[in-house]
Amino acid sequence: ANLPEARLAHYNRVLKEQLAALQQELGDCTAHFRAGVGLVHRELTPAAVDAALDRDIRDLQQASRQIEQDITGLSNPSTRRNAIAGIDLAEDDDDGPDAFEAMLLMEAMASAPAFRPARKKGRRR
């Protein structure tokens, strides 16, 4: 109560800046989590997180059941041979590298030394 107005205004300005920085940091910390659970454009509430996690658990349980069925089915040699025979392999004359091959190629090119043409040997004039 005894502080001058200028000092109070300064404290309020500093506190507002700290609040903005903390809100930015909180947003940065929760952004990855929000994307992972599919709550990018929704409010991050305990109920929304629970619903998203329940959905992820159901999806993972279904995937686990499918993997177990695949393992059981592929344990039979004839079923395994038929499954392997049914795999559609890309032909050798494809139209270029896939995304992963392109990424590796770009990384290799970025780390390669720059090409410099060889200088001609001879006398200087």
Side-chain angles (χ1 to χ4, degrees):
N2 295 334
L3 292 176
E5 282 294 315
R7 176 75 61 145
L8 284 175
H10 172 73
Y11 285 152
N12 283 337
R13 189 172 49 254
V14 168
L15 290 173
K16 285 179 183 178
E17 290 171 1
Q18 288 177 345
L19 175 63
L22 289 171
Q23 287 173 332
Q24 177 65 39
E25 187 176 342
L26 180 62
D28 293 345
C29 290
T30 59
H32 183 70
F33 178 76
R34 286 174 167 277
V37 296
L39 297 174
V40 177
H41 301 294
R42 292 184 51 201
E43 186 178 359
L44 194 60
T45 64
V49 170
D50 284 345
L53 292 176
D54 287 343
R55 183 187 67 240
D56 287 349
I57 289 169
R58 280 192 310 275
D59 292 347
L60 290 171
Q61 287 172 335
Q62 174 60 32
S64 177
R65 285 191 294 274
Q66 183 61 51
I67 290 170
E68 289 172 1
Q69 290 173 1
D70 291 346
I71 289 170
T72 302
L74 293 173
S75 64
N76 180 332
S78 66
T79 304
R80 187 172 47 248
R81 273 192 300 276
N82 290 337
I84 292 171
I87 295 174
D88 183 27
L89 299 175
E91 294 187 23
D92 291 338
D93 60 341
D94 63 351
D95 59 350
D98 62 13
F100 182 70
E101 292 168 332
M103 179 194 68
L104 291 176
L105 183 61
M106 289 176 65
E107 285 180 359
M109 290 173 62
S111 63
F115 173 74
R116 293 185 183 177
R119 291 185 176 180
K120 292 184 180 181
K121 293 184 179 180
R123 285 190 289 176
R124 287 189 175 180
R125 295 180 186 206

